[in-house]
Amino acid sequence: MADTSFDVVVIGSGPGGYVTAIRAAQLGFKTAIVEKAYLGGICNNWGCIPTKALLRSAEIYHYMQHAKDYGLSADNVTFDIKAVIARSRGVVKRLSGGVEYLMNKNKISIIWGEATLDAPGKFTVKKTEAAAPKGALGAGSYTAKHIIVATGARPRVLPGLEPDKKLVWTYFEAMNPDKMPKSLLVVGSGAIGIEFASFYKTMGADVTVVEVLPQILPVEDAEIAGFARKQFEKQGIKIMSGAKVTKLDKKSDSVTVTIEDGKGATQQLTVDRVISAVGVVGNIEGFGLEKLGVKTERGCIVIDKYGKTNVPGIYAIGDVAGPPMLAHKAEHEGVICVEAIKGMNPHAMDKSLIPGCTYCHPQVASVGLTEAKAKEAGKDIRVGRFPFVANGKAIAQGEDQGMVKVIFDKKTGQLLGAHMVGAEVVEMIQGFVVAMNLETTEEELFHTIFPHPTISETMKEAVLDAYGRVLNT
Ligand SMILES: Cc1cc2nc3c(=O)[nH]c(=O)nc-3n(C[C@H](O)[C@H](O)[C@H](O)COP(=O)(O)OP(=O)(O)OC[C@H]3O[C@@H](n4cnc5c(N)ncnc54)[C@H](O)[C@@H]3O)c2cc1C
């Protein structure tokens, strides 16, 4: 007889869900994970990973086109979009297999199908079309003492901008196009929109980005977002901020878009494809949350700092539990949730320590308060900056356009925020995340030795600059 009763069941196998299941199994819980479509969730299949594979192809293509700058020659550099996509999908396949391996290794039962909550402790799974991994449990009724909802999110749809899979894409189609568009309008300049704009521009498309707010990359520090914008515009990306799309006129293989600027003036633009990247909303509907009275707000489940909902025995983590909608936030939230269930008294989630990265060219990365937010919070601050043009490694790499900005509390010396734009910054930001997690002050950073030559030396120099001690400018 197959198992139908568990201590912990996680619904959804995205980075939040599968990591939560592994931690639950490590803690000795009899654990199962329910998945209706693809192991690894959006992140592995349609999000973080496949986009990074595409961006890597774009990066290499970019360097090949600029081979001369490095004393090399590469003539007639071309690409086959189908092969670029095939590589990205191959990476996805490898990682989905990895999640299956991890579930088996940790003796976590995979229940394949769509879960519906019947009551606290009880849920039903019904069959879906997606092919089940070997050995997975199937449709039926199950029980679990603790049910953790990790059902993720889906693209937000704006009225008048409804995706149709052909001319108006969401990230699903943008990641898997049938052919390379010659021109493209990206609506929304958050991380997802900007990554696609960067990919398609590098691959040769004519790209326009429309953002309703005055600033692109709206959650980033204004100075860093402004620096990134100049770089994108230098590459030829057209950016219209403080503007909105008011009308789409679809033809057989193109779309004429009406765009209104902040002052009421309109203009029309005809493009091959439109990507709607106006955010995501939590998957909260249709699987029993309403019936159980689980509290939701603005498209997400309301939780406390340990993932508990208002209904005993039901928890939520990841995108479905609210912003920031990032894989590493989902994972961490899940670990905290099961450790709290186990009674381990874990640290509560501190959202101010969640880094954010955008893998465009140049990259953008940040953690903590922006300058504006620090001022809004009434902090008396010191700001330090350091440009990549003064860094030996950045120049040697041919990547001298970038900067690091740090924000300290003037009174205490506490590092409040760090913001970066340029090559390798998505790898570098973690240095400041660790520093902030250890509640570091300027003193410890002055005494921290950074390897030479590295672009990370710009981090140390920005810290020194905040205190009038910068060395290399
Ligand atoms: C294009 C794109 C790029 C991104 N890039 C990054 C990035 O670089 N870095 C980053 O941190 N984040 C990135 N994200 C965000 C990241 O993908 C999400 O934050 C992350 O996937 C959230 O994980 P999750 O576990 O909460 O949910 P998801 O990954 O969404 O997984 C939810 C899973 O639940 C399953 N499910 C839903 N309902 C049910 C049900 N009733 N029964 C059974 N199964 C169900 C779904 O099929 C899905 O597999 C990106 C997102 C997109 C779209």
Side-chain angles (χ1 to χ4, degrees), residues 12 15-16 35-36 41-43 47-48 52 115 150-152 318-319 325-328:
E35 175 53 56
K36 66 175 183 178
I42 290 296
C43 173
C48 327
K52 288 0 156 236
T151 49
D319 280 8
M325 295 192 177
L326 294 169
H328 41 284

Side-chain angles (χ1 to χ4, degrees), residues 11-18 34-49 51-52 111 113-116 150-154 171 175 191-192 195-196 280 283 286-287 317-321 324-331 355 357-359:
I11 301 177
S13 74
Y18 90 77
V34 194
E35 175 53 56
K36 66 175 183 178
Y38 23 69
L39 284 173
I42 290 296
C43 173
N44 273 5
N45 295 276
W46 298 103
C48 327
I49 299 295
T51 49
K52 288 0 156 236
I111 307 175
E114 185 167 356
T116 303
T151 49
R154 62 181 186 279
Y171 48 79
M175 217 173 291
I192 294 176
E195 286 185 6
F196 281 120
V280 296
N283 293 322
F287 61 97
I317 61 114
D319 280 8
V320 76
M325 295 192 177
L326 294 169
H328 41 284
K329 175 264 196 181
E331 291 173 21
C357 297
T358 306
Y359 299 73

Side-chain angles (χ1 to χ4, degrees), residues 116-419:
T116 303
L117 303 174
D118 301 321
K122 288 191 182 151
F123 63 99
T124 306
V125 175
K126 71 170 194 276
K127 197 170 179 309
T128 51
E129 306 223 314
K134 230 169 90 194
L137 301 171
S141 293
Y142 294 87
T143 62
K145 282 188 210 116
H146 307 282
I147 299 177
I148 303 176
V149 178
T151 49
R154 62 181 186 279
R156 181 186 296 281
V157 176
L158 288 187
L161 197 66
E162 288 82 3
D164 60 10
K165 294 188 163 50
K166 189 179 169 234
L167 297 169
V168 182
W169 292 345
T170 64
Y171 48 79
F172 289 105
E173 296 80 32
M175 217 173 291
N176 206 3
D178 47 355
K179 62 177 185 195
M180 179 68 198
K182 287 200 179 66
S183 59
L184 196 67
L185 180 89
V186 179
V187 188
S189 73
I192 294 176
I194 288 293
E195 286 185 6
F196 281 120
S198 192
F199 170 73
Y200 279 108
K201 179 69 212 170
T202 310
M203 301 310 275
D206 191 7
V207 175
T208 304
V209 176
V210 174
E211 167 59 58
V212 73
L213 295 172
Q215 178 185 315
I216 64 156
L217 295 165
V219 299
E220 299 297 343
D221 184 272
E223 191 178 351
I224 296 292
F227 190 108
R229 179 181 182 143
K230 277 198 193 117
Q231 297 302 314
F232 299 147
E233 286 175 334
K234 250 197 230 166
Q235 293 160 19
I237 297 179
K238 292 177 216 79
I239 298 178
M240 300 173 69
S241 55
K244 62 181 181 211
V245 171
T246 54
K247 197 169 159 228
L248 296 185
D249 188 8
K250 295 185 194 174
K251 311 269 167 28
S252 63
D253 202 23
S254 68
V255 189
T256 299
V257 187
T258 306
I259 303 161
E260 189 184 300
D261 71 16
K263 295 173 197 118
T266 57
Q267 62 170 281
Q268 291 194 325
L269 186 71
T270 297
V271 289
D272 285 352
R273 298 292 180 265
V274 172
I275 298 179
S276 171
V278 292
V280 296
V281 285
N283 293 322
I284 56 171
E285 307 87 355
F287 61 97
L289 292 177
E290 308 88 346
K291 195 174 77 186
L292 266 63
V294 174
K295 201 171 159 199
T296 59
E297 219 172 71
R298 274 183 259 138
C300 295
I301 299 174
V302 178
I303 56 166
D304 71 4
K305 287 188 171 177
Y306 302 94
K308 272 191 189 163
T309 70
N310 60 314
V311 176
I314 310 281
Y315 310 78
I317 61 114
D319 280 8
V320 76
M325 295 192 177
L326 294 169
H328 41 284
K329 175 264 196 181
E331 291 173 21
H332 197 67
E333 213 162 40
V335 169
I336 289 173
C337 179
V338 275
E339 290 187 353
I341 292 172
K342 186 75 179 174
M344 291 171 70
N345 202 19
H347 283 289
M349 185 67 159
D350 179 354
K351 289 194 175 180
S352 72
L353 294 176
I354 302 172
C357 297
T358 306
Y359 299 73
C360 42
H361 186 191
Q363 299 172 352
V364 176
S366 62
V367 60
L369 294 179
T370 61
E371 184 175 352
K373 290 265 181 239
K375 285 182 180 158
E376 247 173 69
K379 305 265 183 201
D380 200 4
I381 54 173
R382 272 177 184 275
V383 178
R385 299 174 178 83
F386 195 81
F388 279 26
V389 276
N391 174 267
K393 178 73 182 299
I395 295 169
Q397 298 270 90
E399 292 288 356
D400 66 357
Q401 291 305 300
M403 71 176 280
V404 174
K405 175 173 175 180
V406 286
I407 293 149
F408 285 92
D409 187 311
K410 212 177 209 171
K411 278 193 209 91
T412 62
Q414 188 187 356
L415 180 61
L416 298 173
H419 309 274

